[in-house]
Amino acid sequence: MVKKILRGYVIRSHENGTREEPVILKDPRTRHRRLGVAATAVGLLAALLTASPAAATPDPGDKPATSKEVSKSTEAQVRSAIAEGEIPGQDEIVHSANIEHVVNVPKDVLPGTNSDLAFQGKYAYAGNYDGFRIFDISNPKAPKTVAQVLCPGSQNDISVSGNLLFLSTDSSRSDSSCNSTTQPATEKSSWEGMKVFDISDKKNPKYVAAVETACGSHTHTLVPERRNVYIYVSSYSPNAAYPDCQPPHDGLSVIKVPRSAPEKAAVVGFPVLFPGDGPDGGGNPGAPTNPGVSKTTGCHDITVLPSKDLAAGACMGDGILFSIEDPERPKVIDQVQDNVNFAFWHSATFNQKANKVVFTDELGGGGAATCNAEIGPNRGADGIYDIVGKGDKRKLVFRSYFKIDRHQADTEVCVAHNGSLIPVKGKDLMVQAWYQGGVSVWDFTDSSKPKEIAYFERGPLTTDRVTTAGSWSAYYYNGYIYSNDIAKGFDVLKLNDRRTDPAKWVRMSELNVQTQPDYFD
């Protein structure tokens, strides 16, 4: 019997630096049947192994994610898998033959969790729980740091438009300044919301405005116009004890920012997306009605497609499709739930034709090892939905799930996270971050039969603890993939594959992935 093998490359350290060497790993569908057998001993994962999907928790808050010890048997199992070549070695880099690891830029003065990315011309903007960093990527092989801005406030979700940069603060702070400290949300004077910077001088960004929003701003999405920038603020988890975050919180804050006077930025509305008569609105009720599913108390992330006046919302227990023809008054067209395999609707991506949406499930809330045999291929996966019908009668119709089949060790936090389209006409191709599952490139042109075509990942960061690390966001921009690794810094990757090569000719002047462009207009 001939075993199928997986060919790729590994980065190994030597006295004279690093060298890329070919590596052969056992077939992941075979080797990973062993991985995860000791997971029941890990308290963090106990709930994940029940018959029902696990309740997700929000992304990390104001403090860095804390790692959790594993049992001695799990630690031994991970070490054994490394020794036998079943998974990459600790911190080793492996990737498919059609991806090149161009460079890694380690963290510098901002030690916090790396988060989202945005792009503009020759610049990349990297969010971090302690602030943000601006890179000059005119030479992707040698990114240069232009500025590092200290402005703590998780999770510092980031976007840019013209001369303006926007940051989300979703942790309770003493005030809106960059010198603020943590303060309980139960105090009325606490602040959470949006910050606005002027980046006319990339070397010296200036903080120009702050807008407080109900329940803060976990993420945000830009709807840019010529004179104004509208911001859809996603936030959730209200509490009767929080003066500025009262239930029901079943909509989104809309901020209007005049480009000529950003200091006048203000909330102009709070459209309700989940109307209902009960105290919790009309979204997914969660447990006990739907065990293991998050109750919908707002949206986690929204992606807009301005060229089609469409938006898709990943809203905890619900996925929604809505019209943004009037950006101040978005209107829900369809609402779907998956109470079998989805725990926490996290993010959304349209295909270029706007007849499909990919929703991600953040099973375990970004704090658990969910890419193993016990969890399986359908939980903690992407859900692919076709958009059928026309106008206000359009519906989201489920087609299939996609999940990386390179099972990870039980010490590796692995979760479906942020990604973007790779612009190739006639194809639906996407690059996606999976935390310690690495970076995956996959094809969903056939909605019912998605498949991975390339990957990049590091081996376990630790073998004795469950640790949050890996790629938070992985986006394709002007010929390269840029990944913001939570722990390791800023990675640049290059695809060399005939299926994705046409994308190299598509050039963008600005990219905020949650404001999806029409790549071919």
Side-chain angles (χ1 to χ4, degrees), residues 188-237:
K188 177 61 179 174
S189 63
S190 296
W191 185 92
E192 299 178 64
M194 291 298 308
K195 296 170 181 170
V196 184
F197 289 78
D198 185 322
I199 52 171
S200 301
D201 180 356
K202 304 294 187 292
K203 295 181 179 180
N204 186 30
K206 295 180 180 179
Y207 185 12
V208 296
V211 181
E212 187 171 15
T213 55
C215 301
S217 175
H218 194 69
T219 65
H220 70 269
T221 305
L222 303 187
V223 185
E225 295 185 339
R226 187 169 63 89
R227 294 183 177 179
N228 305 297
V229 179
Y230 287 97
I231 308 174
Y232 290 166
V233 176
S234 295
S235 56
Y236 52 92
S237 295

Side-chain angles (χ1 to χ4, degrees), residues 65-80:
T66 56
S67 57
K68 295 177 175 61
E69 291 184 1
V70 298
S71 67
K72 292 296 182 182
S73 60
T74 296
E75 181 180 352
Q77 180 262 334
V78 174
R79 291 183 183 277
S80 174

Side-chain angles (χ1 to χ4, degrees), residues 176-396:
S176 63
S177 75
C178 287
N179 297 317
S180 67
T181 58
T182 59
Q183 183 168 290
T186 52
E187 295 188 24
K188 177 61 179 174
S189 63
S190 296
W191 185 92
E192 299 178 64
M194 291 298 308
K195 296 170 181 170
V196 184
F197 289 78
D198 185 322
I199 52 171
S200 301
D201 180 356
K202 304 294 187 292
K203 295 181 179 180
N204 186 30
K206 295 180 180 179
Y207 185 12
V208 296
V211 181
E212 187 171 15
T213 55
C215 301
S217 175
H218 194 69
T219 65
H220 70 269
T221 305
L222 303 187
V223 185
E225 295 185 339
R226 187 169 63 89
R227 294 183 177 179
N228 305 297
V229 179
Y230 287 97
I231 308 174
Y232 290 166
V233 176
S234 295
S235 56
Y236 52 92
S237 295
N239 189 306
Y242 299 162
D244 299 319
C245 183
Q246 293 284 300
H249 182 76
D250 48 11
L252 57 94
S253 297
V254 179
I255 296 174
K256 183 177 181 180
V257 185
R259 291 187 186 274
S260 60
E263 68 278 4
K264 295 181 179 179
V267 174
V268 294
F270 187 88
V272 174
L273 301 178
F274 303 98
D277 297 330
D280 298 319
N284 198 316
T289 304
N290 297 316
V293 179
S294 292
K295 180 172 73 172
T296 298
T297 58
C299 291
H300 178 279
D301 213 333
I302 293 169
T303 294
V304 297
L305 192 59
S307 63
K308 305 291 186 182
D309 288 330
L310 276 179
C315 304
M316 304 181 73
D318 296 86
I320 60 173
L321 181 71
F322 54 102
S323 167
I324 58 167
E325 188 172 358
D326 181 346
E328 291 190 23
R329 299 170 182 82
K331 181 176 65 174
V332 175
I333 297 173
D334 195 26
Q335 175 181 349
V336 292
Q337 297 177 357
D338 180 346
N339 295 317
V340 175
N341 288 313
F342 262 47
F344 188 92
W345 296 66
H346 177 275
S347 54
T349 302
F350 288 99
N351 70 334
Q352 184 59 38
K353 291 183 179 179
N355 59 9
K356 299 176 188 176
V357 182
V358 174
F359 289 102
T360 69
D361 176 24
E362 194 182 39
L363 177 67
T370 66
C371 297
N372 53 33
E374 279 71 22
I375 301 301
N378 295 337
R379 295 168 59 196
D382 297 327
I384 305 167
Y385 286 75
D386 284 352
I387 302 174
V388 301
K390 296 181 179 180
D392 290 350
K393 294 184 178 180
R394 283 172 285 191
K395 297 292 183 183
L396 292 165

Side-chain angles (χ1 to χ4, degrees), residues 425-506:
K425 280 189 175 181
K427 298 288 184 180
D428 294 327
L429 304 172
M430 185 173 175
V431 58
Q432 185 178 358
W434 286 80
Y435 276 27
Q436 287 193 76
V439 175
S440 175
V441 179
W442 58 291
D443 184 334
F444 63 103
T445 306
D446 183 340
S447 302
S448 299
K449 296 180 180 179
K451 58 183 179 181
E452 184 175 75
I453 62 174
Y455 73 91
F456 165 89
E457 70 165 286
R458 291 180 168 89
L461 186 69
T462 56
T463 58
D464 61 344
R465 304 180 70 83
V466 178
T467 306
T468 298
S471 181
W472 177 289
S473 296
Y475 298 145
Y476 188 92
Y477 178 71
N478 291 353
Y480 290 83
I481 292 170
Y482 297 91
S483 168
N484 214 17
D485 188 289
I486 292 167
K488 292 296 184 179
F490 184 69
D491 286 305
V492 183
L493 311 174
K494 189 173 184 181
L495 274 169
N496 296 290
D497 190 294
R498 60 179 177 79
R499 292 165 290 189
T500 60
D501 283 347
K504 296 176 182 178
W505 302 103
V506 178

